Amino acid sequence: MTDNRDDYIEIRPIAYIHSPFPEKFGIPRQSGLAENRAEIHFLPDFRSVDSVRGMEGFDYLWLIWGFSANRRESSFQPTVRPPRLGGNTRMGVFATRSPFRPNGLGLSSVRILSIDLTGEDAPVITVEGADLMDGTPIYDIKPYIPYADSHENARGGFTDSYSGGSYRLLVVVDDSLWESLTSYEDAFRKILPELKSVLSEDPRPSYQHDPARIYGMKYEGFNVHFRVEDGTLHIVSAEQCS
């Protein structure tokens, strides 16, 4: 088959997501695993309440989006190293959900929490479980249809050993942290349930297991530091980002 440039299409964002993740580290490796909230805001050309008519009858959405913060390879790379395999084992790029892809497109299933049809930027869709960094462009939105999109007893390849989120860390807050929060303790307590859900998925690189190592990630305006030992993640400090 010859290369036919007329077969190429141009796509542009229809919306952007506002999520609690200002950087890549700490974002859940798959959608739907954590209970973090995010908002989908449409660009002016697509900002019409008519465009979401009927969406209230669905529980989940598919988001098609772009890996906007990733370095793009200049040439096609047929294999990648999935994090869940320790970052050293190579698999075919099309047998993974790696962000390093020929076209840099992501696919996520998220739960609809609410749809604002009356606000200044309406419609705004609030969702749960998005694995997207703040400001990620969204190229299309489609409803999740159970009879077509759910396949009972389907095999999951090398991901079956992870079994859809059965491995989770216990997340605890060290007592010393509360003493340092002072004036923003209430703000931290407000985000803590979602933060625990995110951290329970173990954001560390799979090949790092040093119990003394302190990791840091930003979440919902806080710079959070933690360590992991014997299946328990300890949140050791948290400061509001400047």
Side-chain angles (χ1 to χ4, degrees), residues 1-41:
M1 181 180 294
T2 59
D3 181 12
N4 185 350
R5 296 289 173 174
D6 292 337
D7 290 339
Y8 287 26
I9 64 171
E10 293 184 2
I11 60 175
R12 57 175 174 153
I14 63 168
Y16 286 88
I17 198 157
H18 290 256
S19 84
F21 302 103
E23 55 190 19
K24 291 187 292 184
F25 183 75
I27 297 177
R29 292 181 173 90
Q30 300 293 338
S31 61
L33 297 182
E35 299 172 358
N36 52 289
R37 297 188 177 206
E39 292 182 350
I40 298 170
H41 290 254

Side-chain angles (χ1 to χ4, degrees), residues 135-152:
T136 294
I138 297 174
Y139 295 109
D140 205 357
I141 299 171
K142 300 176 185 291
Y144 175 94
I145 302 174
Y147 80 85
D149 294 342
S150 178
H151 302 280
E152 188 176 0

Side-chain angles (χ1 to χ4, degrees), residues 177-214:
L177 179 143
W178 298 114
E179 299 173 2
S180 64
L181 284 176
T182 60
S183 62
Y184 42 84
E185 178 177 339
D186 289 344
F188 185 73
R189 287 188 182 277
K190 183 177 180 180
I191 70 164
L192 186 56
E194 289 187 11
L195 176 62
K196 283 187 172 182
S197 176
V198 171
L199 292 175
S200 71
E201 287 296 319
D202 196 353
R204 299 175 300 165
S206 298
Y207 53 85
Q208 292 182 356
H209 302 283
D210 182 0
R213 179 163 183 167
I214 303 296

Side-chain angles (χ1 to χ4, degrees), residues 158-234:
F158 64 86
T159 69
D160 279 342
S161 60
Y162 182 57
S163 65
S166 61
Y167 167 75
R168 290 181 182 272
L169 297 172
L170 173 66
V171 180
V172 299
V173 180
D174 285 1
D175 291 339
S176 59
L177 179 143
W178 298 114
E179 299 173 2
S180 64
L181 284 176
T182 60
S183 62
Y184 42 84
E185 178 177 339
D186 289 344
F188 185 73
R189 287 188 182 277
K190 183 177 180 180
I191 70 164
L192 186 56
E194 289 187 11
L195 176 62
K196 283 187 172 182
S197 176
V198 171
L199 292 175
S200 71
E201 287 296 319
D202 196 353
R204 299 175 300 165
S206 298
Y207 53 85
Q208 292 182 356
H209 302 283
D210 182 0
R213 179 163 183 167
I214 303 296
Y215 300 85
M217 63 173 281
K218 293 180 179 179
Y219 186 87
E220 197 73 287
F222 279 87
N223 194 4
V224 180
H225 294 89
F226 62 90
R227 64 180 182 87
V228 180
E229 183 176 8
D230 296 331
T232 299
L233 184 148
H234 298 262

